[in-house]
Amino acid sequence: MRKQQFSTTCALLLYLVINSFAASQRHNSIRGATVTKIAPVAEETEQNEAIPPADIQPPLIALLYNYQQLVTTGEAVQQGEASVWVENARTIRSQTLDYYIEGMPPFATFQIIIAQGMTCDQGADAIGGAYWNADQLEADPWVDVSIGAADAEGVISGVLSFSNGYSLDGNFGHALVVFDAVYGVRVACGVLLYNIPLDNAVTDTVEAA
């Protein structure tokens, strides 16, 4: 009887030792796998490399409003949007302008400028002429800058490159004006800002930073 109890006890102890060892091995395996997932060095490196340099700046954005309605009734009817961007906001080299405007006369051709003025709803004198840096450029770069013709639905969109001798920050707060290429009539206008207000304050005079 005692021999049988002793054998049973030994068998039980051996079972516990084996299971304890197996559990330890499973724990080490799981712990190792967890560490691998928590600290994927290569994956973190790739993510860090994807972070853009500090000198890449957000674009200037202008909500484009029907100019005639702004100056005659004060009503802000949005017709489109445009943005000006460049990789380095401090450069005065070529910048990119992309635009989308609707509600235009079908098949009419249009031109665009960044104006001297910093408002759209105070009339032509407040808007002024083309905005460019005579210390950097020999001639007005906005002469005959065409954005093409509207389609049959009155929509016009595209992308163009320009340099007016000012940096992105230098163009901040200035009016972006679209006008009829044949008659010279202003048809749309918006102020270039980094942050678009929720109301129609985009048409008000803006103080440059």
Side-chain angles (χ1 to χ4, degrees), residues 102-177:
E102 55 188 26
M104 308 292 270
F107 310 115
T109 56
F110 301 92
Q111 292 179 280
I112 196 166
I113 64 168
I114 293 178
Q116 296 170 0
M118 307 178 87
T119 181
C120 284
D121 58 353
Q122 303 298 316
D125 291 340
I127 290 178
Y131 181 58
W132 59 286
N133 190 341
D135 293 331
Q136 297 288 336
L137 305 173
E138 296 181 356
D140 181 354
W142 296 110
V143 174
D144 299 327
V145 177
S146 173
I147 58 173
D151 63 18
E153 303 297 324
V155 174
I156 184 167
S157 63
V159 180
L160 62 85
S161 295
F162 74 92
S163 175
N164 64 346
Y166 290 105
S167 66
L168 196 67
D169 290 337
N171 285 316
F172 169 80
H174 284 267
L176 184 70
V177 184

Side-chain angles (χ1 to χ4, degrees), residues 63-142:
L63 301 183
L64 298 173
Y65 296 89
N66 183 295
Y67 176 77
Q68 296 302 321
Q69 286 186 288
L70 273 178
V71 297
T72 57
T73 69
E75 184 180 6
V77 178
Q78 187 178 346
Q79 287 187 257
E81 182 176 314
S83 62
V84 176
W85 54 275
V86 68
E87 285 191 357
N88 188 330
R90 291 176 291 277
T91 185
I92 60 173
R93 294 192 296 272
S94 179
Q95 298 176 43
T96 300
L97 166 66
D98 60 72
Y99 51 89
Y100 175 87
I101 316 168
E102 55 188 26
M104 308 292 270
F107 310 115
T109 56
F110 301 92
Q111 292 179 280
I112 196 166
I113 64 168
I114 293 178
Q116 296 170 0
M118 307 178 87
T119 181
C120 284
D121 58 353
Q122 303 298 316
D125 291 340
I127 290 178
Y131 181 58
W132 59 286
N133 190 341
D135 293 331
Q136 297 288 336
L137 305 173
E138 296 181 356
D140 181 354
W142 296 110

Side-chain angles (χ1 to χ4, degrees), residues 10-97:
C10 288
L12 179 60
L13 288 174
L14 181 61
Y15 173 81
L16 291 173
V17 169
I18 291 173
N19 277 275
S20 176
F21 177 77
S24 175
Q25 290 297 103
R26 285 196 301 272
H27 176 71
N28 289 336
S29 176
I30 293 171
R31 183 173 56 187
T34 302
V35 171
T36 301
K37 291 180 181 179
I38 290 175
V41 176
E43 192 173 305
E44 287 184 356
T45 302
E46 290 176 3
Q47 290 175 352
N48 290 336
E49 290 176 351
I51 297 174
D55 61 359
I56 294 181
Q57 300 295 318
L60 291 170
I61 298 175
L63 301 183
L64 298 173
Y65 296 89
N66 183 295
Y67 176 77
Q68 296 302 321
Q69 286 186 288
L70 273 178
V71 297
T72 57
T73 69
E75 184 180 6
V77 178
Q78 187 178 346
Q79 287 187 257
E81 182 176 314
S83 62
V84 176
W85 54 275
V86 68
E87 285 191 357
N88 188 330
R90 291 176 291 277
T91 185
I92 60 173
R93 294 192 296 272
S94 179
Q95 298 176 43
T96 300
L97 166 66

